[in-house]
Amino acid sequence: MEQPAIIVMTKVPGSADVKTRLRPLLSESQSVELARCFLTDTITNLTPVFENRIIAFTPEDGRDAIETVVGGHIYILQRGGDLGQRLDAAIADAFEMGFGPVIVIGTDSPTLRPEYLTQAVFHLRSGEDGVAIGPTDDGGFYLIGVSRPQEGIFDGVTWSSDKTCEPTVANIENIGDVDLLVLPRWYDVDEPEDLVRLIAEINLDESARGRARTTSRWISKNQTTFVSAFPEL
């Protein structure tokens, strides 16, 4: 019997440096607050799609803090060196717990459309060799999913670069007989320009505000403290 699960890879806001590339636009405390909003909205958006939700967190001493932000889930500690090793370990942990297919996302896309998650899980459930990936505009990916464990997907990938998704897709295609779904492109909020894009989306799109209610409230309350850096807002 299939038990689809989604893994959310996250640093624990307040227990680890978060959203550092948004500084000095944001203060350290604002970065922590915004990261907490992103995490909350991410969990809220995926809850209607996935009954089984796994929070893969770091650092180790952040367990109590992460449960305070988003309680009522399965928690695992991220293991490994680079992001590829941590993704492999988290996916392996999920399959060992009896889940499958398994999808992994981060928390940097608070307005991500839930239908992309639905498309991914439908694809992965339709066959034994399905893989799904969601590219981001900056060359990374916001989602990776597999119907069963696959080796080598993240071999040789350079992380946090504009070439992260491309070699990942190449690795998937080199595996052989896999059914790859490439989802619609979306964006992560990593750089100040991404935050500008997020604010514009939230201001102009009511459905985006609905998908990111906590983030929207935070932006409404705080954007006057950093809006001067972007006259176009």
Side-chain angles (χ1 to χ4, degrees):
M1 180 178 177
E2 290 183 340
Q3 291 194 74
I6 190 160
I7 301 170
V8 179
M9 303 287 288
T10 185
K11 294 180 180 179
V12 180
S15 296
D17 279 340
V18 290
K19 310 312 299 174
T20 55
R21 282 182 278 174
L22 293 180
R23 304 175 198 168
L25 177 63
L26 303 183
S27 67
E28 181 175 348
S29 63
Q30 286 177 322
S31 298
V32 170
E33 291 171 2
L34 187 59
R36 192 174 287 125
C37 292
F38 283 8
L39 175 58
T40 299
D41 286 330
T42 297
I43 297 296
T44 300
N45 285 332
L46 63 84
T47 296
V49 183
F50 290 90
E51 180 180 354
N52 304 304
R53 301 175 297 274
I54 302 170
I55 311 299
F57 67 93
T58 188
E60 185 173 3
D61 63 2
R63 172 64 183 265
D64 291 342
I66 197 70
E67 288 194 46
T68 299
V69 180
V70 284
H73 307 282
I74 301 168
Y75 301 91
I76 60 174
L77 179 67
Q78 292 185 23
R79 298 180 287 109
D82 67 15
L83 180 56
Q85 293 171 341
R86 286 180 275 136
L87 287 168
D88 275 333
I91 291 169
D93 286 347
F95 278 109
E96 287 174 7
M97 284 186 274
F99 297 117
V102 173
I103 291 174
V104 189
I105 63 172
T107 61
D108 293 331
S109 303
T111 59
L112 180 67
R113 298 179 182 276
E115 54 262 37
Y116 297 169
L117 302 175
T118 304
Q119 290 174 28
V121 73
F122 179 82
H123 173 74
L124 297 175
R125 296 182 74 169
S126 65
E128 295 182 355
D129 294 298
V131 179
I133 192 167
T136 53
D137 289 340
D138 62 3
F141 55 86
Y142 61 84
L143 177 153
I144 188 81
V146 291
S147 295
R148 61 178 178 83
Q150 298 281 3
E151 294 184 1
I153 288 181
F154 308 115
D155 289 354
V157 172
T158 300
W159 300 101
S160 299
S161 80
D162 60 358
K163 300 297 183 182
T164 295
C165 188
E166 183 179 329
T168 304
V169 171
N171 286 340
I172 294 167
E173 292 174 339
N174 288 336
I175 291 172
D177 189 20
V178 296
D179 185 9
L180 174 62
L181 170 68
V182 179
L183 291 160
R185 192 174 298 273
W186 201 249
Y187 71 102
D188 282 342
V189 181
D190 292 320
E191 305 286 348
E193 295 77 12
D194 304 324
L195 183 57
V196 173
R197 179 175 177 178
L198 175 66
I199 293 171
E201 183 188 12
I202 286 174
N203 286 342
L204 296 173
D205 187 343
E206 183 178 355
S207 64
R209 291 193 294 275
R211 295 191 300 273
R213 295 182 186 279
T214 306
T215 300
S216 297
R217 287 193 294 268
W218 186 90
I219 287 173
S220 296
K221 179 180 178 181
N222 290 276
Q223 74 176 50
T224 55
T225 66
F226 55 83
V227 71
S228 59
F230 296 105
E232 65 269 31
L233 292 179

